[in-house]
Amino acid sequence: MKPFTYERASDAKAAVQAAVETPGARFIAGGTNLLDLMKLEIEQPQHLIDVGRLPMATIEDTADGGLRIGAMASNTKVAADARVRSRYRVLSQAIVSGASGQLRNKASTGGNLLQRTRCPYFYDTSKPCNKRQPGAGCAALEGHIRESAILGASRACIAVHPSDMAVALVALDASVETLTPSGETRSFPLMELHRLPGETPHLETHLIPGELITAVVLPPLPEGGQQYRKARDRASYATAHASVAVVGGRIALGGLAHKPWRAADAEAALASGATAEEAMGVELKDATLRDENAFKVPLATRLVAATLREAAQ
Amino acid sequence: MRTTITVNGEARSLDLDPRTTLLDFLREKVALTGTKKGCDHGQCGACTVLVNGVRINACLSLAVMHDGDEVTTIEGLGAPEALHPMQQAFLTHDAFQCGYCTPGQICSAVGVLAEIKADIPSHAGDVGAQARLTADEVRERMSGNICRCSAYPQIVDAILDAAGNLP
């Protein structure tokens, strides 16, 4: 690890202030992804601002019947919350299908959203990667990689977002609350948090530098069934080749794109009477396929069909 | 950076380079080498310890992040003359070969039983139902602990036995 300085933030405003004023500063909460990358020197922060103990770990009911999840609530805490399990079961299902028990105990809600791709070429510092070094090129394009994106990919990056939790949150139409560098609170749909890679895959979210995620807010209990399904190489502790969250008429896909993917075209097709297979045909009509990831088309299609059936039961 | 961590009931106060992981703090600074360094990237679980009673990977946490915390390592669970029930169960069921992953397996298993007792759900069960202790649940919940000798069947038996739940 490269040397860095460390401070424990006293409150959220001070944390944001320090992030703006200190060159090379990064927030650290659980640290399970950031420290992994710091050991490989893929991440090289000069200063860490520990926000892990800020009083933002509570899960509370909102006035309109939704739920406000503090950004520092651990993945385990969210998955185990009785209100989440009874009203937003898709979120609990998604969380416990990701990582390991040890990691879920440490990882925070905000950090889960901001975790970085597990693309093996991002991790391999002997290979060029536009995420690690803008303009360096993408070794994955010429490499062997089954876990690459089929939706929204670019010539600069074919990495996928690894979060399961975020896929369920998109299907739940959750929003993100943040504290901006100017000290204001802002709120926006979680679906608008992550970017597609385009020519700048090193920019992964629309957060302003120094902006801190303070909470994730779930709208009131949605109508219709909920279900999360994930397909992967191992029965446990592996990222998704494809995953699906269904919440009523909404569908979100994981493992297929640089961000959790709201399948709006498939939703519209289903609403006008299409079968799941037909709807996914519409959703994936512009998919960019490579020899090694083409399996994701039938996989995602069948997974959506199965998940819709289960959600309707 | 001055950091105080209570390890197995004893307060340890040290000046640390912020880069020191909790794992290196335990092994190199406090000389408790029962906690093992396997992959050092959170993939194998050999470094699993209990922090304030909750299992985490000690390799993916900085010691300075744990100022004021209470850490329990394999050395704090039991002693050779007074084994923790989980340690005894691993011996009874021959739940290891080389033993390198074992301290992490045992700390993780103690954490698993506490998590089931606290009704924390897992991928092996219905998230809407009460968490239950079954072999499938143990296999799923222990998936963050790798055993290259593949003593998994005995590990599952040991954990069920320690919980008084062996069929």
Side-chain angles (χ1 to χ4, degrees):
Chain A
M1 257 187 275
K2 298 283 190 192
F4 57 86
T5 49
Y6 170 92
E7 70 175 291
R8 188 178 282 184
S10 53
D11 62 65
K13 280 199 170 167
V16 169
Q17 190 71 21
V20 173
E21 289 172 358
T22 319
R26 288 288 302 272
F27 297 124
I28 187 166
T32 52
N33 187 228
L34 182 58
L35 287 167
D36 180 25
L37 295 170
M38 284 169 64
K39 288 180 183 194
L40 298 165
E41 299 185 354
I42 293 168
E43 293 272 13
Q44 299 184 10
Q46 294 164 265
H47 183 68
L48 287 183
I49 302 162
D50 189 349
V51 294
R53 298 201 190 194
L54 292 180
M56 302 193 302
T58 53
I59 303 173
E60 51 203 5
D61 293 299
T62 60
D64 67 353
L67 216 50
R68 185 178 185 277
I69 300 167
M72 299 310 144
S74 72
N75 289 181
T76 296
K77 180 174 179 168
V78 178
D81 186 275
R83 294 160 293 184
V84 174
R85 288 162 77 176
S86 61
R87 280 148 56 189
Y88 306 99
R89 56 180 278 120
V90 68
L91 178 56
S92 190
Q93 289 176 322
I95 291 173
V96 299
S97 77
S100 66
Q102 291 98 313
L103 291 168
R104 292 192 297 268
N105 285 341
K106 196 78 179 68
S108 69
T109 300
N112 183 310
L113 294 174
L114 300 181
Q115 65 178 306
R116 307 199 66 190
T117 185
R118 302 302 194 280
C119 174
Y121 295 95
F122 172 67
Y123 269 78
D124 183 352
T125 52
S126 73
K127 300 287 192 301
C129 171
N130 289 318
K131 271 189 185 300
R132 271 188 276 110
Q133 193 186 344
C138 172
L141 288 174
E142 305 301 323
H144 294 285
I145 172 171
R146 297 167 66 226
E147 49 270 65
S148 53
I150 62 170
L151 292 170
S154 73
R155 292 165 54 89
C157 184
I158 57 173
V160 300
H161 195 268
S163 173
D164 292 290
M165 184 190 83
V167 179
L169 289 175
V170 163
L172 285 166
D173 211 12
S175 55
V176 177
E177 276 183 22
T178 68
L179 189 61
T180 69
S182 54
E184 286 158 7
T185 302
R186 74 164 174 143
S187 176
F188 55 90
L190 191 138
M191 210 173 78
E192 294 169 13
L193 173 66
H194 298 97
R195 295 173 185 246
L196 288 176
E199 293 305 307
T200 54
H202 61 291
L203 301 175
E204 295 172 349
T205 72
H206 290 287
L207 294 176
I208 305 160
E211 187 171 16
L212 179 68
I213 295 177
T214 52
V216 169
V217 180
L218 307 181
L221 180 64
E223 284 184 26
Q226 300 177 22
Q227 188 71 15
Y228 187 76
R229 283 282 300 267
K230 175 178 183 179
R232 46 185 161 174
D233 280 342
R234 296 192 298 260
S236 183
Y237 201 15
T239 52
H241 284 311
S243 73
V244 182
V246 169
V247 176
R250 288 195 296 265
I251 302 170
L253 305 171
L256 303 183
H258 197 256
K259 57 188 265 185
W261 188 269
R262 177 79 180 270
D265 291 346
E267 291 172 12
L270 283 166
S272 34
T275 64
E277 289 75 12
E278 290 163 351
M280 283 302 285
V282 178
E283 187 65 44
L284 300 177
K285 66 182 184 301
D286 296 326
T288 48
L289 303 181
R290 311 164 61 75
D291 288 347
E292 287 172 320
N293 70 13
F295 75 98
K296 289 189 173 187
V297 170
L299 179 65
T301 301
R302 290 169 193 166
L303 205 55
V304 165
T307 310
L308 282 167
R309 273 198 306 276
E310 289 171 12
Q313 279 168 9
Chain B
M1 184 157 191
R2 198 70 184 176
T3 302
T4 303
I5 302 174
T6 299
V7 184
N8 301 330
E10 192 179 336
R12 306 281 194 155
S13 194
L14 287 162
D15 270 318
L16 298 176
D17 183 318
R19 288 176 290 182
T20 312
T21 61
L22 180 59
L23 174 59
D24 287 342
F25 169 83
L26 293 169
R27 291 182 54 84
E28 310 293 334
K29 305 293 180 187
V30 185
L32 289 172
T33 53
T35 308
K36 300 299 187 231
K37 182 179 282 194
C39 69
D40 210 23
H41 286 276
Q43 297 169 5
C44 76
C47 67
T48 304
V49 297
L50 300 162
V51 175
N52 304 329
V54 173
R55 60 182 174 140
I56 67 165
N57 301 111
C59 74
L60 284 187
S61 215
L62 296 172
V64 293
M65 293 161 68
H66 293 285
D67 188 45
D69 281 348
E70 294 193 13
V71 178
T72 303
T73 69
I74 190 70
E75 293 93 339
L77 280 182
E81 63 281 4
L83 294 176
H84 184 281
M86 191 65 75
Q87 291 172 316
Q88 182 58 56
F90 269 64
L91 279 175
T92 303
H93 291 275
D94 199 17
F96 47 84
Q97 287 185 49
C98 82
Y100 195 81
C101 72
T102 311
Q105 298 277 1
I106 290 174
C107 285
S108 190
V110 170
V112 164
L113 295 190
E115 287 165 18
I116 291 175
K117 200 173 171 191
D119 190 24
I120 290 166
S122 95
H123 181 63
D126 176 357
V127 297
Q130 177 84 20
R132 293 167 59 233
L133 179 66
T134 65
D136 277 350
E137 285 281 355
V138 169
R139 281 189 279 268
E140 162 60 27
R141 291 170 187 268
M142 290 293 290
S143 70
N145 290 84
I146 309 300
C147 171
R148 293 210 62 180
C149 306
S150 212
Y152 298 112
Q154 294 90 333
I155 291 171
V156 173
D157 286 349
I159 296 171
L160 292 173
D161 192 10
N165 219 5
L166 195 64

